[in-house]
Amino acid sequence: MEIKTGAVFGLIMVLIYNFLDAGKEVYSGHLVQSLHPMLVTFIVFSTVLVFFQCICLVKLSRDYIIPLQYPVIITLLNITTVGSWVTFFYCLRYIEPAIASAIITGFAPLIIVIISPFLYRNEKRQYRLSLLLGIALCSLWLSIISLQVDNKNHSYTNYEIVAGIVLAISCAFFSILSNILSKKLSDRKCIPESIMAHRFYLTIIVTFSYIYDVNIEHLSDSGLFPGVLFLAILGVILPLWCLQYAIKHLAPAKVMIFMSISPVFTYVFQLLDPRLSPTYSSLVAILLLCCFSLATEIWQIRHKGSTLDNGYNGVPEDKRS
């Protein structure tokens, strides 16, 4: 019963994450058109770091140092966090948020299933490969739509749009590694707040080293600073908090499958942004992407014979992390 309750809670956390993350993608896509992505990343994650440091030091001091007892994992998590967020903010300069979201969440399940045998040697394949390929093909379709639509609406070159697609796929790869490493820390009794307090050090260092050449005065003159703080709180702190709890209760592959429906939320939010022109072909591809994602999870449920499997059946306890 406890496992089932945890699985349901994890699913709810993923859905809340999808909703908040979709708003973040559209709004941050607007911000990086006016501000340098490195500057946005630095301010956002400086705010996130200070928030979770204060939470841990004031209320959770006993749990604060537990992640630091695993220096290799926390260092790798810092590296993958830099990779995922820098590539994310840069890709939004070249492709519309719904397309970026679909590519990231579409390729992620396929990538994680491919690399899982190298990370969990005794874990059996839980998802039908053909369904995962369907998710990836829908993402490729969205990439083609991006090349066609963005060439009409913006002055981007084909090279820039292809760069945006490559960055989105890179973001998916780094995000998967971050989820796996976060899961390893959760399995070692690290609470989500303590993980969040220690995973952004390198992100701040790397982005700070780049903002010397950025016109920071433009941030205050444009009146965008409150918007960046708004992005940090509602677009990063809250959704990542939910995602960290989802990772605690669900296997990484299951988290990525449920995250695949995120482009639907992103598409709806794009309708509120006059700068963007979502197409019906994008909507069809996104809906197909969600159908493949749901079919993948339904197949897994029937195959395993359990409606609330935690994703680790058949894997020894010592091999799960």
Side-chain angles (χ1 to χ4, degrees):
M1 182 61 69
E2 183 178 350
I3 293 177
K4 292 183 178 181
T5 303
V8 171
F9 178 74
L11 172 60
I12 293 173
M13 289 296 100
V14 175
L15 294 178
I16 295 175
Y17 166 83
N18 284 340
F19 176 78
L20 294 173
D21 189 65
K24 177 262 295 181
E25 288 175 349
V26 175
Y27 187 64
S28 57
H30 168 71
L31 284 178
V32 297
Q33 303 304 318
S34 304
L35 297 173
H36 195 283
M38 285 293 191
L39 179 59
V40 174
T41 307
F42 173 74
I43 296 174
V44 165
F45 288 101
S46 295
T47 305
V48 174
L49 179 67
V50 170
F51 177 83
F52 282 104
Q53 287 283 336
C54 291
I55 290 288
C56 287
L57 291 174
V58 173
K59 293 187 176 182
L60 305 167
S61 57
R62 292 183 179 180
D63 300 300
Y64 177 77
I65 64 171
I66 296 179
L68 300 178
Q69 297 173 4
Y70 308 99
V72 175
I73 298 178
I74 202 68
T75 299
L76 290 175
L77 180 58
N78 269 262
I79 294 172
T80 58
T81 299
V82 173
S84 63
W85 285 100
V86 171
T87 53
F88 168 74
F89 281 120
Y90 266 103
C91 81
L92 290 180
R93 300 196 83 174
Y94 306 124
I95 54 180
E96 64 178 73
I99 303 295
S101 175
I103 294 172
I104 293 169
T105 58
F107 274 88
L110 181 61
I111 294 173
I112 198 169
V113 167
I114 291 173
I115 67 175
S116 286
F118 300 98
L119 301 173
Y120 309 104
R121 294 183 180 179
N122 294 340
E123 187 170 7
K124 298 178 180 180
R125 180 183 295 171
Q126 297 180 40
Y127 299 101
R128 193 169 183 83
L129 188 59
S130 59
L131 295 175
L132 296 174
L133 287 173
I135 295 175
L137 287 175
C138 286
S139 296
L140 286 176
W141 183 15
L142 283 167
S143 301
I144 295 172
I145 294 172
S146 176
L147 285 169
Q148 295 173 342
V149 175
D150 281 3
N151 270 336
K152 293 179 181 178
N153 297 338
H154 306 286
S155 58
Y156 299 139
T157 65
N158 286 343
Y159 173 80
E160 289 174 324
I161 297 175
V162 170
I165 294 170
V166 171
L167 287 168
I169 296 174
S170 301
C171 178
F173 177 73
F174 284 119
S175 297
I176 288 167
L177 294 180
S178 294
N179 288 349
I180 292 173
L181 292 167
S182 295
K183 182 66 177 178
K184 287 179 178 290
L185 290 174
S186 292
D187 290 342
R188 287 164 171 77
K189 310 302 181 183
C190 298
I191 63 173
E193 291 82 1
S194 66
I195 296 173
M196 296 289 286
H198 297 296
R199 67 177 292 183
F200 300 114
Y201 296 131
L202 191 58
T203 302
I204 293 173
I205 293 172
V206 170
T207 53
F208 181 75
S209 66
Y210 275 89
I211 64 173
Y212 284 114
D213 297 329
V214 178
N215 184 8
I216 300 179
E217 293 181 358
H218 175 63
L219 178 64
S220 57
D221 295 339
S222 62
L224 293 174
F225 185 74
V228 177
L229 290 181
F230 177 81
L231 173 65
I233 297 170
L234 290 182
V236 178
I237 291 176
L238 290 181
L240 282 185
W241 210 340
C242 292
L243 180 61
Q244 202 68 57
Y245 272 100
I247 293 170
K248 179 180 179 180
H249 293 283
L250 299 173
K254 190 177 290 289
V255 171
M256 301 312 297
I257 291 292
F258 288 138
M259 285 173 62
S260 296
I261 67 171
S262 177
V264 174
F265 294 99
T266 307
Y267 186 91
V268 172
F269 276 111
Q270 278 192 195
L271 299 176
L272 305 176
D273 189 344
R275 182 181 58 86
L276 303 172
S277 302
T279 63
Y280 287 113
S281 54
S282 295
L283 178 60
V284 171
I286 289 170
L287 291 176
L288 281 175
L289 181 64
C290 292
C291 288
F292 275 112
S293 300
L294 293 175
T296 301
E297 189 59 27
I298 291 171
W299 183 90
Q300 188 268 347
I301 289 172
R302 290 182 176 178
H303 181 70
K304 301 296 288 186
S306 171
T307 58
L308 286 169
D309 175 30
N310 66 359
Y312 282 111
N313 284 354
V315 183
E317 185 72 26
D318 61 342
K319 296 294 184 181
R320 296 185 182 184
S321 54

